[in-house]
Amino acid sequence: MNFFEYRDGEMCAENVKVSDIANDVGTPFYLYSSASIGYQFSQLKNAFNNLDLLICYAVKANTNQAVIKTLAALGAGADVVSEGEMRRALNAGISPEKIVYSGVAKTILEMTFALNQGIYQFNVESGPELYQLSEIASVLGKTANITFRVNPDVDAKTHAKISTGKSENKFGVPWTNVRKICAKASELPGIKLVGLDLHIGSQITDLQPYEEAYTRVAELIQDLRTEGHEITRFDLGGGIGIAHDEDNDQPIHPTEYAKMVERVVGHLDCQIILEPGRYLVGNAGILVSKVVYVKEGGSRKFLIVDAAMNDLIRPSMYDAYHSIVPIIRSDDKRELYDVVGPVCESGDTFATNRQMPPIKSDELVAIRSVGAYGAVMSSTYNTRLLIPEVLVKDNKFAVVRPRPTYNEIIGLDKLPSWLSE
Ligand code: LLP
C-alpha cells in the first residue's frame, strides 16, 4: 500500500499535500506516514495469528520518539542495541517486558541499566559477554533471561555490508558451538537460558535463506531440549526487505513468511519474536527536497537538489536504489538525470542515469522509501543542518524533530582554555 499518492496531479501524504508541508517547514525534510506504519504492523501481526508472537520493532531503523510511540500504541515491543535506544524505547512508552537487547558489544554500564529496568531478554553473542552478564546480574541480585544469537552460516543474499549470518561475520555464536555454550550458561549464576535467536541480514528479498537458517536453529532447539534445557522462545530476527520502487510489490509477503515460519518452527511451540525495522517504517517515509540547479555537465545532466549524502547515506554507502519522483506529476517525455546533492564529494549521488520527466529549479522531488535508516544515519557533514522530520496522520501534520539552528550545531564545540583566553 502506498500512502504517498498523487491526487489531482499532486503528491499527498495521506490527506495532506506535500507542497503545503514544504511551504510550512522548508526543504529538505523527512516526511512519515502514520497510516503506513500502522498498515505494515497489522499486516505482519495478522499474518502470524496462529503463533504466540511478540513484534519487537528494531528501533535503530528510525528512532524518532513519534515513530516509536506510534508503534508502541499498536502494541509493538522494541529491539534495542544501546542504552540510548533502550531509553528512547522506554521514553516512548514501551514496557521493559517487551524489550530485547541485541548487539555484539554490550558494555557493563549498558547491562546494568537494562537489568535494572527489568528487560525481557538479552540476545547474547559470545562467551565473554555471557560471563560478563552473569557477573553483573549476580552483583545486582537479578536474573538475566538470555537467548543465544546463533550464527547459522547462511548467506542472506543481500548487500555484503548488511549481511550478518555467515561464519565470517562478527555476529552470533558459531552454530557448532551453541550446545557447548548453552551447557556453560546453565551452570552460571544470574543467567536463565530461555531461547535462541538469529538475525542473518537486512533487506532480504528471498524466503529461502530464512528457511535454511530457521531449519538449522529449530534442530538445535530440539537438541537443547533433549539435553534438558527449557527453551521457550525463538527470536527470528529482522531483515524483511521492502520494494524501493513504488512499481514493485513487497518482495516477501508477510503471509508467505508466516506460513513458512509455521511450517518450519511451529511444532516447537515457542514464543516467536520478530525484530523488523525496515519492513515497518521503510516505505512510510520520503525525503522531500528542492531542486537548486539543473546543470548540463560534460556528458550528463545533473539535477542538483538541496538534500545530500549527509541527510541520506544509503545510496553512497550501499549503492542503494531509491525511487525519485517529482511532487507534481508529469507525463512529459522522460529524460536522463543524475540526481546529486551539494556536498563536495562525487559519492554525493542519489541516482545515476535516472529516467525522470523534465524538472526545473525550485521544483520539489521526493526520494522514496527512506523511513528506515534515513534520518538515523544522517550527520552534519559540511556543517549542513540536520533536516526536520515531519509526521502525518490523516489530514494533520506535525514537526517531530525541528531543524536545529547554526548556533546549536556550532555551539556543540568547546574551545580549550588556551584558545578562548
Ligand atoms: N535485529 C538485529 C539484531 C539487527 O542487527 C537489525 C538490523 C535488525 C533486527 C533490523 O533489521 P531490518 O528489519 O531493519 O532489516 N543501515 C543499513 C541496515 C543495517 C541493519 C542493521 N541491523 C541500511 O541502510 O540498509
Side-chain angles (χ1 to χ4, degrees):
M1 274 275 275
N2 180 8
F3 292 86
F4 298 94
E5 280 180 335
Y6 289 101
R7 294 215 197 113
D8 300 325
E10 223 189 294
M11 186 184 280
C12 293
E14 299 188 30
N15 289 317
V16 189
K17 278 187 186 170
V18 172
S19 59
D20 285 349
I21 305 175
N23 286 337
D24 197 69
V25 176
T27 58
F29 62 95
Y30 278 101
L31 178 58
Y32 309 131
S33 153
S34 309
S36 172
I37 298 172
Y39 177 81
Q40 293 295 103
F41 184 84
S42 52
Q43 286 277 102
L44 193 61
K45 184 166 174 263
N46 296 341
F48 280 80
N49 248 345
N50 295 336
L51 295 164
D52 175 10
L53 177 73
L54 175 62
I55 299 179
C56 290
Y57 165 54
V59 164
K60 64 164 78 68
N62 187 321
T63 50
N64 192 289
Q65 286 289 280
V67 169
I68 305 177
K69 198 147 190 156
T70 300
L71 282 157
L74 297 166
D79 166 51
V80 302
V81 292
S82 66
E83 180 175 333
E85 282 192 357
M86 182 153 180
R87 285 179 183 272
R88 280 189 183 269
L90 293 168
N91 209 49
I94 297 186
S95 120
E97 295 103 70
K98 283 187 174 178
I99 301 182
V100 301
Y101 204 128
S102 300
V104 288
K106 303 170 196 83
T107 64
I108 296 174
L109 286 178
E110 290 175 318
M111 289 174 175
T112 305
F113 178 78
L115 279 167
N116 281 333
Q117 294 295 323
I119 193 165
Y120 190 56
Q121 148 188 325
F122 289 92
N123 294 347
V124 175
E125 303 218 14
S126 66
E129 183 191 342
L130 172 68
Y131 291 116
Q132 183 71 80
L133 184 58
S134 164
E135 202 178 308
I136 294 167
S138 305
V139 169
L140 296 174
K142 304 211 182 268
T143 301
N145 288 324
I146 68 156
T147 65
F148 280 112
R149 175 167 175 177
V150 179
N151 182 320
D153 195 19
V154 162
D155 184 355
K157 297 186 194 143
T158 182
H159 192 282
K161 284 187 186 154
I162 50 175
S163 184
T164 52
K166 290 282 288 167
S167 62
E168 66 259 31
N169 300 131
K170 69 181 173 187
F171 301 98
V173 176
W175 74 285
T176 43
N177 296 357
V178 171
R179 289 165 65 181
K180 215 159 80 198
I181 202 169
C182 287
K184 268 273 158 349
S186 61
E187 294 163 4
L188 290 177
I191 296 288
K192 183 168 190 304
L193 175 66
V194 294
L196 295 183
D197 84 281
L198 79 171
H199 173 77
I200 58 173
S202 193
Q203 186 53 21
I204 299 172
T205 53
D206 181 0
L207 274 181
Q208 185 268 328
Y210 275 127
E211 178 160 353
E212 204 179 321
Y214 296 164
T215 306
R216 191 159 275 186
V217 179
E219 279 167 20
L220 269 175
I221 290 182
Q222 272 174 328
D223 290 349
L224 292 172
R225 282 179 172 167
T226 324
E227 284 161 23
H229 299 286
E230 205 185 316
I231 303 293
T232 55
R233 302 180 197 168
F234 188 177
D235 179 340
L236 305 178
I240 313 170
I242 57 166
H244 282 106
D245 192 326
E246 69 269 29
D247 297 332
N248 294 335
D249 289 335
Q250 172 68 33
I252 291 182
H253 198 275
T255 46
E256 299 302 318
Y257 183 54
K259 260 195 237 157
M260 181 276 286
V261 169
E262 248 181 279
R263 178 163 48 77
V264 178
V265 314
H267 62 285
L268 296 171
D269 226 14
C270 282
Q271 178 190 39
I272 298 298
I273 298 172
L274 298 177
E275 300 172 355
R278 192 187 320 262
Y279 171 82
L280 293 176
V281 296
N283 276 330
I286 61 174
L287 198 172
V288 181
S289 185
K290 189 184 273 186
V291 176
V292 185
Y293 297 114
V294 181
K295 174 175 170 176
E296 299 280 353
S299 57
R300 299 190 178 215
K301 199 181 231 182
F302 294 101
L303 213 56
I304 308 177
V305 297
D306 62 1
M309 64 190 289
N310 69 297
D311 305 309
L312 174 69
I313 195 86
R314 300 200 70 258
S316 36
M317 190 148 171
Y318 312 106
D319 306 310
Y321 176 95
H322 286 272
S323 145
I324 305 176
V325 292
I327 295 297
I328 305 292
R329 184 157 55 194
S330 158
D331 294 324
D332 291 350
K333 192 163 168 289
R334 302 292 188 255
E335 295 179 3
L336 283 184
Y337 290 102
D338 279 14
V339 184
V340 299
V343 161
C344 307
E345 295 200 29
S346 293
D348 183 23
T349 297
F350 292 121
T352 352
N353 272 329
R354 193 63 70 82
Q355 298 244 11
M356 296 176 73
I359 298 185
K360 296 194 284 299
S361 52
D362 281 341
E363 287 185 6
L364 297 175
V365 295
I367 307 178
R368 308 197 54 145
S369 309
V370 296
Y373 308 110
V376 281
M377 294 181 80
S378 57
S379 74
T380 56
Y381 185 42
N382 277 204
T383 306
R384 291 167 47 81
L385 298 176
L386 290 178
I387 67 178
E389 292 173 85
V390 178
L391 181 67
V392 165
K393 186 173 170 60
D394 191 16
N395 59 1
K396 298 189 288 283
F397 72 90
V399 175
V400 293
R401 185 178 73 184
R403 199 187 307 277
T405 63
Y406 284 109
N407 281 343
E408 281 166 344
I409 298 292
I410 298 168
L412 289 172
D413 300 351
K414 292 285 168 245
L415 290 176
S417 58
W418 63 91
L419 289 176
S420 53
E421 278 157 12

